[in-house]
Amino acid sequence: MCGIVGAVAERNITTILIEGLKRLEYRGYDSAGLAVYTQQGNLERRRRIGKVSELEAAVGAEPLAGNLGIAHTRWATHGAPTEHNAHPHFSGHELAVVHNGIIENHEELREKLKGLGYVFSSETDTEVIVHLLAHTLKSLPDLADALKAAVKQLHGAYGLAVISAKQPDRLLAARSGSPLVIGLGHGENFLASDQLALRQVTDRFMYLEEGDIAEIRREQVTIWDVAGTQVQRETVQYHEGAEAADKGEYRHFMLKEIHEQPTVVQRTLEGRLGKDHVMVQAFGPQAAELFAKVRNVQIVACGTSYHAGMVARYWLESLAGIPCQVEVASEFRYRKVVVQPDTLFVSISQSGETADTLAALRNAKELGFLGSLAICNVGISSLVRESDLTLLTQAGPEIGVASTKAFTTQLVSLMLLTLSLGQVRGTLAAGVEAELVEELRRLPTRLGEALAMDAIVEKTAELFADKHHTLFLGRGAQFPVAMEGALKLKEISYIHAEAYPAGELKHGPLALVDSDMPVVTVAPNNELLEKLKSNLQEVRARGGELIVFADEQAGMSNGEGTHVIAVPHIIDALAPILYTIPLQLLSYYVAVLKGTDVDQPRNLAKSVTVE
Ligand code: HGA
């Protein structure tokens, strides 16, 4: 979602700010802006709706140079995506603020500040922050003191960057519910909502914690914690290889990320498989002790991660014999939940900053769960920090807004969880675990074979180019795979797609089936295959066109209105991971045919850090 970049240096920082924003573009946004304290001693800003390149052009046309500045990509929550709502927001000519998050008491503060004579020029919640700070500065002239006092009046979530023309040697930051990281340079320092934005200028970072306020000067960084006590935060040297935001030979990040899946699944398995068992300590030193007590599992997640959780439910119940509930985080967090004794709370999130999932975890801590486990792709994230146990997916940075490799690595991690719980609790026969471990080792190769379906899937995509609706069907653990397939198609091709358990067809959705409604089905060769074949007959009988991704050994063949695409055979338990690949490719190629913005689909954002 929105991004923040800030800099204080001896050199001109405008290009650093713009490059930083570009590196955050993948998160999705609707407008961009920056404010610089210029060499003439003024605060000046440029703002544009649309892409960072528009902002860059505006700066090119009317140059801005200075040693202190803040910049922002906005994903509107309060007020339309217009230029006057874009950040930075100013109070007079003195103060500029950029903000990620939501101020819940903005109406009340706005009325109060209007009463004090402040004039608002936007509909955003953010603008109350800058006027509130301006007002506080009247009694507390030091910027850090004023910020500490002002944030006490804010309810909601914020990551803030602030600069003042009156104190132009410093950049201020405040974090509560929205991540911020300081980038450390030599004689220059930086700020961003994600270290990725600053990798061009440094590899040394200091992560702010909840409630921290930071004063960042060229030579010095001072941090106060939520109690106002001056604190040191650890400096982290960033080591991850140069997995830069680079598409390489691929046309889109999404296609690159789909093709990375054998490698990242391999990485997710590395160091976690013993000869014939899963190494439970991969979940943390106290995992074995905690897992031994688990009698139930509650999974909470959003979007694609929720679908991973739904697959895990089939696995946990059928393989480990552990009852499992799965719920979307935005529902779980506001519902009165009855927790069964000895329930493990499992949250799943690519970024680890998903606002609803994080809030659900925080609620869960008050509800008497046995403990919490985060399945997450970002090691230094709030979800990881706040959970008892963690298993990191090793997907690497995912740039495409529509999640692909994050999903399959989540599935692999959830299979490791299933096997670990079954092992520790003695509910999974050692032979079954050994067989699945062996199959997991082969999985990267199998995924490579599934990727070889690329060309046939590209051809199949043509069947969808002029369609407006589709149905996705699956049975058992393939039902959530069908849901994920439908979500991918919606997200990037804007074709309306719905998923149903195949057995539900005749209870309603069959009424929709006609020659304009293609029906996509995933059909591994399992005990449900014959039932699925009957469901497909129901579709054919109504003239519906069938696209069936079927096990090469399932004995299904092409026929009138039936397009069968053979999928390499795989053990049933791992089929959800393998069948995801052709569905990802299908939505990708349909989107390419329709000419949509594959990597940054309209209205969507990566890492949903607001409710
Ligand atoms: N509420 C602010 C910032 C929005 C945001 O953080 N989006 O991710 C606004 O609407 O401008």
Side-chain angles (χ1 to χ4, degrees):
M1 313 213 83
C2 13
I4 287 179
V5 187
V8 53
E10 201 176 2
R11 52 178 162 158
N12 174 25
I13 45 72
T14 313
T15 48
I16 297 173
L17 297 180
I18 290 178
E19 173 62 22
L21 291 185
K22 283 187 179 164
R23 287 166 180 252
L24 297 178
E25 279 196 290
Y26 73 93
R27 289 163 164 260
Y29 63 100
D30 48 55
S31 51
L34 55 78
V36 170
Y37 177 72
T38 65
Q39 278 133 357
Q40 293 72 40
N42 306 315
L43 272 190
E44 272 194 50
R45 70 182 158 187
R46 307 276 181 268
R47 298 179 293 174
R48 286 293 180 271
I49 49 173
K51 301 280 173 189
V52 175
S53 54
E54 307 281 338
L55 177 68
E56 192 176 20
V59 172
E62 256 188 297
L64 265 186
N67 314 115
L68 173 73
I70 52 177
H72 190 256
T73 45
R74 173 174 189 248
W75 188 79
T77 66
H78 292 62
T82 57
E83 193 166 307
H84 71 273
N85 282 335
H87 302 206
H89 288 286
F90 277 15
S91 191
H93 298 291
E94 179 196 332
L95 209 55
V97 166
V98 293
H99 163 224
N100 284 354
I102 289 175
I103 304 305
E104 284 171 345
N105 58 337
H106 69 102
E107 279 171 357
E108 176 195 324
L109 289 172
R110 182 181 276 254
E111 286 318 304
K112 201 167 120 191
L113 289 159
K114 275 188 182 165
L116 290 166
Y118 289 92
V119 178
F120 282 76
S121 61
S122 79
E123 289 85 51
T124 63
D125 50 339
T126 303
E127 199 180 348
V128 301
I129 305 172
V130 71
H131 295 312
L132 178 65
L133 187 59
H135 187 64
T136 315
L137 277 163
K138 290 185 176 161
S139 50
L140 288 169
D142 177 78
L143 196 52
D145 289 345
L147 185 60
K148 283 182 221 166
V151 296
K152 291 206 174 92
Q153 296 188 52
L154 303 178
H155 301 168
Y158 52 82
L160 296 177
V162 182
I163 53 174
S164 160
K166 293 225 174 113
Q167 298 171 53
D169 58 345
R170 68 200 73 173
L171 166 63
L172 268 291
R175 171 190 171 148
S176 182
S178 200
L180 282 178
V181 58
I182 297 170
L184 303 167
H186 297 286
E188 55 184 17
N189 287 311
F190 309 92
L191 177 75
S193 48
D194 184 328
Q195 48 80 23
L196 203 63
L198 301 178
R199 296 273 291 285
Q200 39 151 345
V201 281
T202 184
D203 60 357
R204 289 186 307 133
F205 298 99
M206 222 180 239
Y207 289 84
L208 293 187
E209 295 193 4
E210 281 297 281
D212 281 358
I213 304 269
E215 183 189 78
I216 305 157
R217 301 182 188 225
R218 275 185 44 212
E219 303 284 356
Q220 183 189 328
V221 172
T222 315
I223 302 176
W224 297 270
D225 69 7
V226 68
T229 312
Q230 195 173 325
V231 284
Q232 294 289 331
R233 298 285 174 227
E234 192 192 343
T235 302
V236 182
Q237 183 103 26
Y238 201 82
H239 285 302
E240 196 173 323
E243 267 179 299
D246 172 6
K247 289 199 273 270
E249 67 194 84
Y250 294 97
R251 184 163 161 198
H252 295 101
F253 281 110
M254 184 180 177
L255 189 61
K256 172 176 178 249
E257 288 161 5
I258 289 173
H259 280 270
E260 276 171 4
Q261 289 177 109
T263 311
V264 296
V265 162
Q266 172 77 44
R267 248 197 261 154
T268 302
L269 291 169
E270 262 159 28
R272 291 165 175 175
L273 298 180
K275 195 167 140 298
D276 51 9
H277 63 282
V278 173
M279 294 201 279
V280 177
Q281 61 272 36
F283 290 84
Q286 47 332 3
E289 199 189 328
L290 191 74
F291 285 177
K293 299 186 199 138
V294 172
R295 283 200 283 149
N296 299 282
V297 171
Q298 170 73 61
I299 299 178
V300 168
C302 305
T304 289
S305 303
Y306 169 67
H307 296 153
M310 285 188 68
V311 173
R313 177 177 174 214
Y314 285 88
W315 287 340
L316 282 161
E317 298 208 347
S318 67
L319 291 167
I322 296 178
C324 175
Q325 306 220 38
V326 190
E327 191 164 353
V328 286
S330 54
E331 285 300 310
F332 181 90
R333 66 180 287 194
Y334 289 117
R335 190 167 74 76
K336 180 150 177 18
V337 177
V338 179
V339 181
Q340 299 278 353
D342 302 319
T343 302
L344 177 68
F345 181 88
V346 179
S347 61
I348 313 171
S349 160
Q350 189 281 128
S351 67
E353 302 295 346
T354 314
D356 283 320
T357 311
L358 207 47
L361 169 65
R362 289 173 182 159
N363 288 357
K365 291 195 171 166
E366 312 297 317
L367 293 174
F369 281 94
L370 181 66
S372 56
L373 163 69
I375 307 265
C376 185
N377 196 35
V378 180
I380 317 164
S381 63
S382 306
L383 202 67
V384 168
R385 261 203 309 274
E386 296 180 28
S387 296
D388 301 321
L389 304 175
T390 301
L391 192 73
L392 288 181
T393 52
Q394 301 291 344
E398 192 178 59
I399 308 293
V401 166
S403 182
T404 52
K405 60 177 180 168
F407 179 66
T408 42
T409 52
Q410 284 168 352
L411 288 179
V412 168
S413 304
L414 289 160
M415 177 52 90
L416 295 177
L417 174 66
T418 303
L419 299 182
S420 299
L421 283 170
Q423 178 198 122
V424 172
R425 297 194 31 78
T427 44
L428 181 71
V432 178
E433 183 178 4
E435 186 192 358
L436 281 166
V437 164
E438 207 38 53
E439 291 292 335
L440 279 171
R441 273 193 235 284
R442 284 193 209 120
L443 185 60
T445 313
R446 316 312 307 281
L447 295 178
E449 288 162 17
L451 285 167
M453 298 165 68
D454 193 289
I456 170 99
V457 177
E458 183 173 8
K459 184 94 193 86
T460 309
E462 290 167 14
L463 298 169
F464 294 78
D466 61 343
K467 297 291 189 286
H468 300 287
H469 307 276
T470 46
L471 281 179
F472 281 69
L473 302 179
R475 274 182 173 267
Q478 298 294 347
F479 166 49
V481 171
M483 290 175 81
E484 175 58 11
L487 179 66
K488 269 323 75 137
L489 194 69
K490 278 186 269 218
E491 283 178 314
I492 60 168
S493 76
Y494 316 146
I495 293 178
H496 170 222
E498 275 193 87
Y500 277 93
E504 270 294 292
L505 200 58
K506 54 190 166 300
H507 297 289
L510 198 54
L512 296 170
V513 171
D514 62 14
S515 57
D516 269 340
M517 172 78 97
V519 178
V520 180
T521 311
V522 275
N525 193 7
N526 62 19
E527 73 283 358
L528 295 172
L529 182 66
E530 289 311 316
K531 294 203 180 301
L532 187 72
K533 284 181 180 167
S534 312
N535 300 142
L536 300 186
Q537 287 313 316
E538 293 161 12
V539 172
R540 273 310 298 142
R542 272 97 193 157
E545 192 147 22
L546 282 169
I547 294 88
V548 190
F549 292 96
D551 188 307
E552 59 195 5
Q553 300 173 5
M556 297 186 74
S557 47
N558 281 336
E560 172 75 20
T562 304
H563 310 265
V564 176
I565 299 133
V567 181
H569 178 69
I570 190 158
I571 184 170
D572 196 41
L574 300 187
I577 309 176
L578 192 80
Y579 279 73
T580 295
I581 303 255
L583 297 189
Q584 291 169 344
L585 288 169
L586 182 66
S587 49
Y588 172 76
Y589 283 116
V590 174
V592 168
L593 276 176
K594 296 199 72 177
T596 57
D597 189 345
V598 172
D599 286 331
Q600 291 177 34
R602 68 185 184 201
N603 307 343
L604 297 182
K606 192 88 185 157
S607 179
V608 187
T609 52
V610 295
E611 248 188 80

